[in-house]
Amino acid sequence: RIYTNSTEESFDVFMTLNNRGLALGPSDLVKSLFMKHISKGKQGHALVEANDSVTTPWSEAMSNLEDGDFDQFLRHYLLSIQREAVQGKLIFSRFESLINNSQDRDQSGSTTSDRCKFQLKKIVEQSEIYKQLIKPDTIQDAELRKHCLALYSLLDSYRILMLPVLDPAIELDRGQQREIARLCEMLSIRWLSTGSNAQDLENHFQELSNIIRDASNPLENRV
């Protein structure tokens, strides 16, 4: 048993170990990071509500992925929104950086709690898209489904690019989505057939994803 003097200190302990002595995964640490900031300074009923405001959307995102790899989803999401490399062990620190050093505070909020809530909202939204990529047979559009089924059998990194392509907030039309998926499939097949470096292809998908998400550039210049 470990005694602490505050909720914040309890989260610091939790982020190091749990009561079974098992190492925490990146998604566990990210969730606890959100809970730490959103519940900071709260007690009693307010603390319960703050914790529920994290666990409810987090459970929704996990439910969207069902048996999918949640850590991999978080990594692909991070790669699709930023230019830095993200290995599995860096998932937590990348979210910590997003929350503490956000450059887009007009959109994500002025406090760490607001930015945690913003990231939670984005995680839920992106998990709904990612669900289609790990179960491409559920995609309604036949042509998109065909390309994503082919990509699913080839590699995982295409999901980094397809996250923004299928994101309704980006407002690509169906023809643009189909064409990008087709080109993504062609590139992946040629890349793999020539034995080229898989990491280089992932880096390329990340770069393209960042271009598509760049709201400062007119949409016609991004696609």
Side-chain angles (χ1 to χ4, degrees):
R1 181 174 297 180
I2 298 174
Y3 293 93
T4 62
N5 296 316
S6 67
T7 303
E8 291 79 12
E9 187 179 355
S10 297
F11 281 121
D12 286 335
V13 173
F14 174 76
M15 289 163 65
T16 307
L17 49 86
N18 67 17
N19 61 1
R20 293 172 297 170
L22 300 176
L24 299 173
S27 58
D28 299 315
L29 295 173
V30 173
K31 179 183 177 183
S32 67
L33 176 70
F34 291 162
M35 294 183 76
K36 174 182 177 180
H37 288 298
I38 291 175
S39 66
K40 185 176 182 179
K42 293 180 171 63
Q43 299 293 331
H45 185 65
L47 177 60
V48 173
E49 287 187 336
N51 289 337
D52 286 345
S53 73
V54 176
T55 57
T56 299
W58 194 267
S59 296
E60 182 181 348
M62 293 193 73
S63 177
N64 281 336
L65 268 63
E66 297 182 1
D67 296 328
D69 188 333
F70 202 74
D71 290 341
Q72 184 186 55
F73 156 64
L74 292 179
R75 178 174 175 270
H76 284 169
Y77 163 62
L78 286 169
L79 287 168
S80 79
I81 65 169
Q82 60 176 29
R83 300 186 183 279
E84 293 84 359
V86 184
Q87 292 83 27
K89 63 182 180 181
L90 295 179
I91 291 172
F92 170 76
S93 62
R94 291 289 184 245
F95 272 105
E96 191 173 39
S97 179
L98 277 175
I99 291 165
N100 291 328
N101 307 303
S102 176
Q103 300 299 310
D104 190 11
R105 299 197 175 193
D106 288 343
Q107 182 180 17
S108 60
S110 58
T111 68
T112 52
S113 177
D114 288 340
R115 293 193 290 277
C116 285
K117 293 174 183 177
F118 175 81
Q119 284 302 322
L120 267 172
K121 179 174 179 289
K122 299 303 292 184
I123 285 171
V124 172
E125 292 172 352
Q126 296 297 302
S127 71
E128 292 172 352
I129 301 169
Y130 203 81
K131 174 173 64 175
Q132 300 176 68
L133 300 175
I134 60 176
K135 291 192 172 182
D137 56 322
T138 64
I139 296 175
Q140 292 186 352
D141 183 81
E143 188 170 340
L144 264 178
R145 183 170 62 248
K146 178 185 69 174
H147 296 308
C148 287
L149 278 168
L151 284 161
Y152 180 80
S153 67
L154 294 171
L155 38 73
D156 296 332
S157 58
Y158 81 96
R159 301 170 193 169
I160 299 165
L161 174 59
M162 292 305 295
L163 271 172
V165 170
L166 298 182
D167 190 340
I170 305 296
E171 297 184 339
L172 296 178
D173 63 40
R174 186 65 78 193
Q176 291 170 322
Q177 292 175 334
R178 291 169 176 168
E179 180 64 5
I180 293 174
R182 183 185 71 83
L183 293 172
C184 185
E185 179 187 352
M186 290 177 57
L187 175 62
S188 299
I189 291 172
R190 293 179 182 182
W191 201 280
L192 294 175
S193 65
T194 59
S196 299
N197 189 296
Q199 183 60 55
D200 289 340
L201 181 58
E202 178 178 287
N203 295 342
H204 188 54
F205 286 147
Q206 180 183 12
E207 180 182 2
L208 293 173
S209 177
N210 277 258
I211 291 172
I212 292 174
R213 288 195 189 275
D214 183 9
S216 66
N217 198 15
L219 183 60
E220 60 268 20
N221 295 338
R222 291 183 252 157
V223 293

